[in-house]
Structure formats: structure tokens, C-alpha cells
Amino acid sequence: MADQRHARRRLARAVALVAAGALALTALGGVAGLAGASSPAAKHQASGGDLKFGLEAETTDYCLARAQLAISGIQVVSAIYDTLTVPNDKGQATPYLAKSVTPNADDTQWTIALRPNIKFQDGEPLDATALKLNLDTYAGLPGGVAASGGPLFGIYLSFVQSTSIVDPLSVMVTLKKPVADFPEYLYSTGRMGIQAPAQINGACSTNMIGTGPFKLQSYQQNQATVVVKNPNYWQPGYPKANSITFVPIPDGAARNTQLQGGQIDLTHQSGGLQVDNLKSIPNVKTLTQGPGFREIAHYFLLTKNAPFNNQLARTAFQLAVNRTEINTIRNKGIFTVANSVMDQKVPGYLSNAGYPAFNLKKAQQLVSQYKAQNGGQFNVILGTTTDPDASAEAQLLKEQLGKAGINATIAQFDQATLINKALSFSIDVLLWRNLYGEYSEAADAETYIWFQSGSPVNFGGFNDPQIQALLEQGRAATSPAQAAPIYQQFNRLMAQRGYLLPTWFVNWTIGYNQSVNLSFPPLPDGHGKPLFAYGRIPVLGLSKS
């Protein structure tokens, strides 16, 4: 029924289709460089074992509709919860807990049909009533539990008008406007897990109850989160492992050392030095994410207060930063410098959106101009995590800014506190990375929330009518071809305004001992393999010899 004018809607409608047979794992250069990963036959290997997974940070709130989840939290969530859809290895949203997600003719109503006979880990059924409670809580609608919701998803799903039960296993979601990428939102980089009503209505932060392959055994903040096999998991034969212990280890070098010493069985890394070191450890295998679905590291300039409420100051900052030098020193040059807020294969990607090249002399001139207009001062606070590698990067950035005449102070926090400092505008520059590179063939679900005016994770706090208009136009596009020039214009305008400075594309890498069997089980209904993106791997196929 779809035609060329609705290529994007054809992708959305594919979510409702059931393919015949599982697809073979594709090794597209950037989708998932599966060096060292097990073959599809790994699902038939001996199962079991108890694994320890080293995480880069702790998560303090697992009430998903309000939680501030970065990669570490998302990795834990992947064990306890399932999402309605997941991206396959081509970046296409495909059904998971949902049997189908079907739009009406103009993409304003979507019917979500659940798979039958799925239960939460407390024995309650996953039915339309539980699904509606989840959707209403995420979207901040009257049918949800306000205490278990939060501002982020309320803004993220602000286009949702209402939900209604169609039958015992189906819910209809009515939108305020057409959103052809709605199936992407039901994944939300793995954050939108479906929670049991007992969690939403109870001690939501720590009483983790989902439908996932593992169920919570214990949670000791800053020590370990232990999950054990869900014997009633809805996918026969999974999970393979008996248990997984997630251990927060903020120091990337320490994670590598513990992996080498056998204290942990696998870990993730996103810093160039530690990725390089990880690949040199004997008897350790690696799984590396390549071009196409990468995160983008960046320096987000917070614009609510001086100095970066001034375009002159933002331009001076951009010119003062030698990204190539920082990448060479801190990443050994193994990452690619980014000049776009999107990665390859995404509508709107540009090899160079117009970010200015390093020019110390011109930076010094602009800094002098800014100081002349502002009492001789140009002071900034650089916010970063406590990871020694992040600290070293911040120190190098401080030195570069100092040469241009910008006085920088470094402030270090644990990851959760750093996010809150950015949200409260208590710092001036956030050293960060996020999934602007996209994890899908679309762009709306992974772009809109991060740059929308008024969004709490628009860390820069800018309110730019032109950028907002482009985001709305991109959301309304009905095909990638139609969306591409809109997002290219958005990309160029972001560079021109200087709200953030992209630094490099991040090749997330998983390191694991040879005793670990790492496999990506086929998705239901023959929709291919799960996508390795954002440093998150599916855990249901993990086992240990």
C-alpha cells in the first residue's frame, strides 16, 4: 500500500509485518563490527554460568519513566525489561514485546498488539491494561501514575494525545500530529522498558520488575546489581546465563585491569586510550561498533548564563579548541573527528556542517573583544566525570582555552551528579557524549528531544525558533529523502550558532574474556539480529563456559 512518497511510512509499516525465517547476521562495516563475536550457532552452545559485567557508572533510580539513564543504566535495564520494539542490525524498528505496531492512513493512530502469554517476573500478565498504565505514565497522561513519571518522557512523548484499550492484548495510541517514526519512540535507546504495575504503583526506584530475561535478586548502590535467570521468559531457550552481576567501576583503566585479572568477565569502553588498551590484552576478545550508528562526543555550551549566552563567546570557544590535538593525545587518533551532529547513514549527515577549524590567533582576537565588552572577564567551568581519562581530557581542554585567554576551571562529579549540574546550569561546558549519531534509519526520535526548546536534556538550554522549526519539519517528513535536506539545514545551523562543538565519533567497544560466549540471538519473527549501538549489548545470549 505504501508508495515512493511514503518510504518512511513503509519502514514504519514494516514493524507490523512478520517475515518468514530468521535473517543472517550482516557484518556491515559500521552496524556492528563483530570481531570476536560468536556465530548464530552460539545459541546451541552450552548455557549457564555466572557473569560479572563492569559498568562505567552507577544508576540510582530505575523508575524508568523518570530515570536518568546513561549507558550503564540502559545495560542493566536490558536484562530486567523488554521494550515494545527494538532496532535490528539495519537500524529498522521491529516488534519485540509487541507482536505488531500498525498505523492508520495518516500516522495519527497506532495500534499496539502484544504477544500473548507473556508475564511479568512477579507473575502478573502483560496485557492491555498494564501496557496502557505504562504508556500513560511515560507520557504523563491522566491514566498514569504521576509519582512514577518525570518531565523527560512527558516532553519526549508530548505528541501523544491519549491511549485506549482495544481488546485484552491491544492498545490504540492517538497522536496530536502525524509521527511516522512512532515505532522508534517505543524503544527510545532502550530506555522505554515495560514495567510491572506493581513497580509503577509501588517502590518504583528500586523494585525492578519487568518481562526481561533476568529478574532482580539484589541491588546495592555503588556496589553491585545482581540479576538471575527468569525461568518463565517468553523466548524459549533464553537466557543462557544463570546470573549477571553488574559492578560500577567508573575508572576505565580499572575496568580493563579487572577484566585482565579475571575479576570481571566483560566490560564496555568508550575512551580511545582504553579501547586501544583493551584490544592489546591477551586472551580478551573485542566487539567494536563502527561507522553508521555511533555516539558523538561533544562539548555542550550552556547558554542560559554568561559567557555562552553570547554568540561571540561561543565562536571564540570553538576557534580555541584544537580537536585534532585532543583526539590524538587522548584517543591515539583512533576515533574520527566529527563535524556533524549525525553519523553516516542518517538523513542530514554532513561530512562538514561548517564547524570552524582551530585558529588560535582569531580565537584570541574574539576573546579580547568579549572581554572588552564584559569587564575584562571570560571565565568558564568545565564539567566532567571523575574518570581519570575524562579528567585528563578536561585538563588538555583547559590548557588550550588558556592559550586563547579563556580562564577555565575544572569541576568533577559522578555521572548522575554531573547531569544534574548541567540541568541546573551550574557549569558552563558539559564534556559529554550522546546518541545524536542515531541508532536508526530515521532521525526524529534521536534528535528532537535533545535539541527541542524546553527539553530538560537540551543541556545548552537554548531556545532557537529556527532550529525548533526545522525539528518540527523533520518530524513531519514522510520519507528519508524528504527529511535529508531539512536535517542538513538543521546540522548547518547548529554549527553556525555554536551551541555545541562535536569532537569525535565514539566507537564503543565491548571486551570479554575467552570463557564468555557472546551471541546476538535472532529477533522474533525473522526480523534479523539486534543492533549493537550506544555500547549496549543484548544479554539474553550471554553465557560462560
Side-chain angles (χ1 to χ4, degrees), residues 35 45 60 86 236 242 249 275 322 333 348 404 415 435 486:
Q45 294 175 353
T60 57
V86 297
N242 295 325
I249 308 170
V275 168
N322 187 338
Q415 193 173 86
L435 200 63
I486 297 170

Side-chain angles (χ1 to χ4, degrees), residues 283-498:
N283 301 318
V284 165
K285 298 180 180 180
T286 57
L287 167 64
T288 298
Q289 183 182 339
F293 299 91
R294 297 170 293 185
E295 276 194 298
I296 300 177
H298 58 276
Y299 303 144
F300 218 140
L301 308 185
L302 280 65
T303 64
K304 185 175 181 179
N305 306 312
F308 295 124
N309 57 358
N310 187 313
Q311 172 81 64
L312 178 64
R314 298 196 298 272
T315 302
F317 177 93
Q318 289 184 321
L319 290 166
V321 179
N322 187 338
R323 294 173 293 161
T324 299
E325 180 182 65
I326 297 176
N327 185 42
T328 300
I329 295 173
R330 298 307 314 159
N331 298 317
K332 292 190 174 181
I334 65 174
F335 292 163
T336 302
V337 172
N339 287 294
S340 170
V341 293
M342 296 170 177
D343 198 1
Q344 301 170 16
K345 305 182 182 180
V346 178
Y349 168 75
L350 294 168
S351 60
N352 191 339
Y355 289 93
F358 167 66
N359 188 322
L360 181 57
K361 184 177 181 180
K362 190 171 182 180
Q364 291 169 335
Q365 293 172 348
L366 295 186
V367 168
S368 296
Q369 291 180 35
Y370 179 83
K371 286 182 174 180
Q373 299 170 11
N374 293 274
Q377 300 296 313
F378 194 152
N379 303 315
V380 299
I381 300 174
L382 309 178
T384 187
T385 66
T386 56
D387 186 326
D389 288 327
S391 301
E393 180 188 336
Q395 182 62 41
L396 186 53
L397 176 61
K398 175 182 177 178
E399 293 170 4
Q400 289 187 352
L401 296 176
K403 292 177 182 178
I406 301 172
N407 178 41
T409 302
I410 299 173
Q412 297 177 269
F413 310 96
D414 64 81
Q415 193 173 86
T417 302
L418 177 60
I419 293 173
N420 289 328
K421 290 292 182 181
L423 293 175
S424 64
F425 297 95
S426 301
I427 57 177
D428 300 304
V429 184
L430 174 64
L431 280 67
W432 201 240
R433 31 139 246 267
N434 219 317
L435 200 63
Y436 312 132
E438 320 298 336
Y439 62 80
S440 73
E441 291 185 339
D444 181 41
E446 301 89 62
T447 300
Y448 192 96
I449 186 65
W450 301 106
F451 303 114
Q452 175 193 12
S453 300
S455 169
V457 292
N458 174 353
F459 291 119
F462 59 84
N463 184 355
D464 191 312
Q466 287 181 276
I467 285 178
Q468 185 66 36
L470 290 169
L471 291 173
E472 297 293 346
Q473 293 171 34
R475 167 166 288 181
T478 57
S479 72
Q482 187 183 59
I486 297 170
Y487 286 119
Q488 286 172 355
Q489 187 177 353
F490 160 81
N491 221 335
R492 294 188 185 97
L493 194 59
M494 286 292 293
Q496 179 185 328
R497 296 284 200 264

Side-chain angles (χ1 to χ4, degrees), residues 132-207:
K132 176 175 166 55
L133 176 64
N134 271 268
L135 294 175
D136 287 346
T137 301
Y138 273 111
L141 296 175
V145 177
S148 295
L152 176 58
F153 272 101
I155 294 174
Y156 186 64
L157 298 172
S158 60
F159 55 79
V160 176
Q161 178 175 302
S162 65
T163 65
S164 59
I165 294 176
V166 176
D167 59 45
L169 288 176
S170 299
V171 169
M172 178 179 290
V173 182
T174 300
L175 310 183
K176 300 173 185 177
K177 61 180 73 174
V179 178
D181 291 334
F182 181 64
E184 307 280 351
Y185 283 84
L186 301 177
Y187 177 67
S188 182
T189 63
R191 291 178 172 93
M192 200 168 169
I194 301 301
Q195 305 164 95
Q199 178 177 357
I200 296 175
N201 290 310
C204 191
S205 295
T206 56
N207 187 29

Side-chain angles (χ1 to χ4, degrees), residues 4 19 40 52 56 100 105 111 118 173 221 240 251 267 285 290 302 321 348 363 373 378 396 447 450 528-529 540:
Q4 291 182 349
K52 288 189 177 180
E56 70 168 14
S100 62
T111 301
I118 297 178
V173 182
Q221 189 172 313
K240 295 297 186 183
D251 186 329
T267 190
K285 298 180 180 180
L302 280 65
V321 179
Q373 299 170 11
F378 194 152
L396 186 53
T447 300
W450 301 106
K529 294 281 184 174
L540 71 168

